[in-house]
């Protein structure tokens, strides 16, 4: 009965860091290294992220991200609920962008079940996904600037605009963040009357706000010196590490799944993929701002061209949904990167395997390489520029 | 090439802050704060919080639309619904005898307001409520809603979601008319 304590005693201990560095080459005495645990309850670690940082003075010499504090068994729950039942759980992956998470999951199941969303539903998906991208990027930029010490002001301006987009989500889906809106083969409900005009107004006013927001800090000398040349991610390393999304494009790699896969109806919209030159924090910051401008172009076109018609594939059904046996991987360009769902079906109402490829988790694995040699205060803004949501990292 | 003056970017940013500060006195767009308990933002029609059970007529026990089919209990992703079927039956809106729930409980501390139960319900019996000031000092008992607390009249449904309620009423009315026509055809002598 008392075998458990014995097991704990025998468990291998984590290998301790070498806390005393070798003597300096010139014979001087080195300072002692300091190991600190940043997080999980640290205001600038964006949720409950913890990293073990080893500091030499103020320089980072080792950094180990520690995952799992917010682990909620998402994938196992997905294997124990019906296909429809997992849809509200995908909202809780990346709680900033529930609509893109919905879309990725719906896309995977649609591939599996051979469903096709009708024209109007595809337009609604593009509109909601691009609105999600706007509000994700604007709040990310706000948080990033707050991490740099611009406390409050940019974040409050960003949230003021985000609020307008969340109001749109609420009048469409009933919830501001946990939208649970997409369904296999379409969308849950049609747009309420007047929604398109409201959306056009929000989209029309957004560029003015974006100009103001850029005037606020983009040219700020303190910001430039804090961000330029900090946390450089070389393109080869980014590709090898599987980085996706704005972070990869900030390193100058032209890879946007909206262009590569042309899922949904993205081939109908003219938009450009902004690319960075240096891959530093400033490029990642500017990448978000530029992507918002491109999203606005997509939104304008989609809100202009949206046709009337049905919003659900007539073949899809809610109760007793059993896709045929097979395996499928559906992926989209979520605001944070490539969000993929890998499903194996055995023909039963529940998936046999349900796997999420979360962008922020994989983007975060490269943190140490970007932070080494920088000040600990820079580690915070490098982490901020990665754009993570712990709901998605730990699942 | 013109070299920007040092500090120019900072001044530009401060001008922006000043524009927002002064603007908040004159522009509605720049002062968006709502003083919550005194002022309230009107809720969207699609707003949803926790589910409730709809009943027709005046007597909530007789008029409950739920027929205890337990589909919502099975489909509920966090499994917060608990139903026990009653052995006694009661007529539904078309006059057909149906089961009824003896117990119908929703644990709102578990419910995640996803409205899957509403979508899968074939009888339009469960709908989403919009009430949001629900804090209690009791963590367990007051958050577990019983059948009596969940049952709300159809008029209330009309008040919170007018468009959806009208649609549901039209559908149920058509069912009823069809059932009555069928019954009339059956009783008429051949």
């Amino acid at each position: 009965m008392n075998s458990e304590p014995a097991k704990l005693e025998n468990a291998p201990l984590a290998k301790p860091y070498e806390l005393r560095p070798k003597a300096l080459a010139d014979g001087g005495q080195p300072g002692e290294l300091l190991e600190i645990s940043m997080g999980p309850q640290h205001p600038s670690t964006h949720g409950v992220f913890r990293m073990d940082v080893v500091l030499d003075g103020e320089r980072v010499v080792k950094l180990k991200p520690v995952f799992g504090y917010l682990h909620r068994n998402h994938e196992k729950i997905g294997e124990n609920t019906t296909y429809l039942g997992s849809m509200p759980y995908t909202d809780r992956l990346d709680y900033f962008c529930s609509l893109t998470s919905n879309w990725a999951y719906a896309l995977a199941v649609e591939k599996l079940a051979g469903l096709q969303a009708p024209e109007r539903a595809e337009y609604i998906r593009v509109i909601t996904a691009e609105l999600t991208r706007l509000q994700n990027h604007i709040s990310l930029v706000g948080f990033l600037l707050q991490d740099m010490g611009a406390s409050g002001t940019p974040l409050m301006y960003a949230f003021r605009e985000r609020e307008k987009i969340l109001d749109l989500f609420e009048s469409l889906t009933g919830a501001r963040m946990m939208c649970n809106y997409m369904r296999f083969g379409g969308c849950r409900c049609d747009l309420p009357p007047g929604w398109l005009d409201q959306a056009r107004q929000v989209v029309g006013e957004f560029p003015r706000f974006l100009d103001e927001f850029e005037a606020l800090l983009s040219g700020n000398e303190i910001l430039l010196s804090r961000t330029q040349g900090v946390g450089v991610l070389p393109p080869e390393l980014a590709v090898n590490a599987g980085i996706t999304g704005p972070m990869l494009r900030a390193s100058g790699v032209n890879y946007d799944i909206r262009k590569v896969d042309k899922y949904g109806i993205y081939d109908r919209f003219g938009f450009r993929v902004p690319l960075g030159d240096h891959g530093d924090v400033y490029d990642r910051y500017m990448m978000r701002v530029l992507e918002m401008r491109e999203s606005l172009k997509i939104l304008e076109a989609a809100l202009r061209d949206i046709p009337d018609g049905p919003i659900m594939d007539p073949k899809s059904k809610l109760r007793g949904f059993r896709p045929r046996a097979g395996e499928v991987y559906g992926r989209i360009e979520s605001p944070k990167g490539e969000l993929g769902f890998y499903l194996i079906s055995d023909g039963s109402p529940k998936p046999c395997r349900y796997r999420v490829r979360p962008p922020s988790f994989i983007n975060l694995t490269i943190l140490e390489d970007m932070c080494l040699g920088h000040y600990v205060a820079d580690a915070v803004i490098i982490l901020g520029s990665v754009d993570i949501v712990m709901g998605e990292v730990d699942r | 090439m013109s070299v920007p003056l040092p500090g120019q970017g900072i001044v530009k940013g401060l001008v922006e802050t000043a524009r927002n500060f002064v603007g908040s006195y004159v522009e509605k767009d720049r002062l968006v704060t709502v003083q919550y308990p005194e002022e309230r933002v009107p809720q969207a029609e699609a707003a949803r919080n926790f589910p409730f059970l709809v009943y027709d007529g005046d007597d909530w026990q007789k008029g409950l639309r739920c027929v205890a089919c337990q589909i919502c209990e099975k489909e509920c992703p966090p499994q917060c619904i608990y139903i026990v079927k009653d052995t006694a039956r009661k007529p539904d809106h078309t006059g057909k005898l149906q089961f009824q729930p003896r117990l119908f409980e929703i644990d709102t501390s578990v419910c995640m307001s996803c409205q899957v139960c509403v979508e899968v319900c074939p009888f339009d019996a469960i709908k989403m409520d919009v009430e949001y000031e629900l804090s209690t000092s009791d963590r367990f008992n007051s958050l577990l809603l019983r059948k009596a607390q969940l049952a709300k009249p159809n008029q209330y449904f009309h008040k919170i979601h007018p468009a959806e309620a009208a649609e549901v009423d039209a559908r149920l009315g058509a069912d009823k008319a069809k059932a009555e026509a069928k019954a009339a055809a059956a009783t008429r002598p051949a």
Side-chain angles (χ1 to χ4, degrees), chain A residues 163-209:
Chain A
E163 200 60 29
K164 295 176 186 165
I165 297 176
L166 291 189
D167 283 347
L168 283 178
F169 288 169
E170 190 183 6
S171 61
L172 174 59
T173 69
R176 288 152 47 84
M177 289 170 83
M178 303 297 130
C179 296
N180 184 20
Y181 180 63
M182 313 271 176
R183 289 289 174 268
F184 316 130
C187 299
R188 196 183 72 216
C189 53
D190 206 349
L191 303 174
W195 193 88
L196 282 175
D197 294 327
Q198 256 176 301
R200 279 185 201 115
Q201 198 193 344
V202 169
V203 170
E205 283 170 3
F206 208 84
R208 190 189 86 158
F209 161 72

Side-chain angles (χ1 to χ4, degrees), chain A residues 14-30:
Chain A
K15 207 178 153 194
Y17 294 122
E18 184 57 65
L19 288 183
R20 194 174 288 277
K22 294 184 181 79
L24 298 177
D26 60 1
Q29 279 295 310

Side-chain angles (χ1 to χ4, degrees), chain B residues 101-133:
Chain B
R102 187 154 62 83
L103 287 181
F104 194 112
E105 290 169 3
I106 294 180
D107 191 348
T108 50
S109 62
V110 174
C111 176
M112 59 180 187
S113 313
C114 63
Q115 87 170 56
V116 165
C117 52
V118 176
E119 278 171 69
V120 297
C121 180
F123 300 94
D124 291 304
I126 190 165
K127 294 290 169 194
M128 294 311 272
D129 208 341
V130 294
E131 224 174 296
Y132 56 91
E133 283 159 333

Side-chain angles (χ1 to χ4, degrees), chain A residues 81-82 85 88-89 92 157 160 171 173-175 178-180 183 188 208 212 215-216 219-222 318-319, chain B residues 5 7-10 12-13 16-17 19-20 29-30 32 44 46-48 71 75 77-78 112 114-115 119-120 122:
Chain A
T81 43
T82 55
Y89 284 119
R92 279 122 180 116
Y157 293 171
R160 190 182 63 201
S171 61
T173 69
M178 303 297 130
C179 296
N180 184 20
R183 289 289 174 268
R188 196 183 72 216
R208 190 189 86 158
E212 281 186 7
L216 183 67
N220 187 304
E221 285 79 3
I222 302 170
L318 272 175
R319 291 185 294 269
Chain B
L5 285 170
Q8 203 180 346
I10 295 176
K12 225 171 134 189
E16 212 49 62
T17 324
R19 194 210 303 266
N20 273 283
D29 264 11
R30 294 193 198 269
V32 289
R48 60 184 148 98
I71 291 178
E75 291 280 345
M112 59 180 187
C114 63
Q115 87 170 56
E119 278 171 69
V120 297

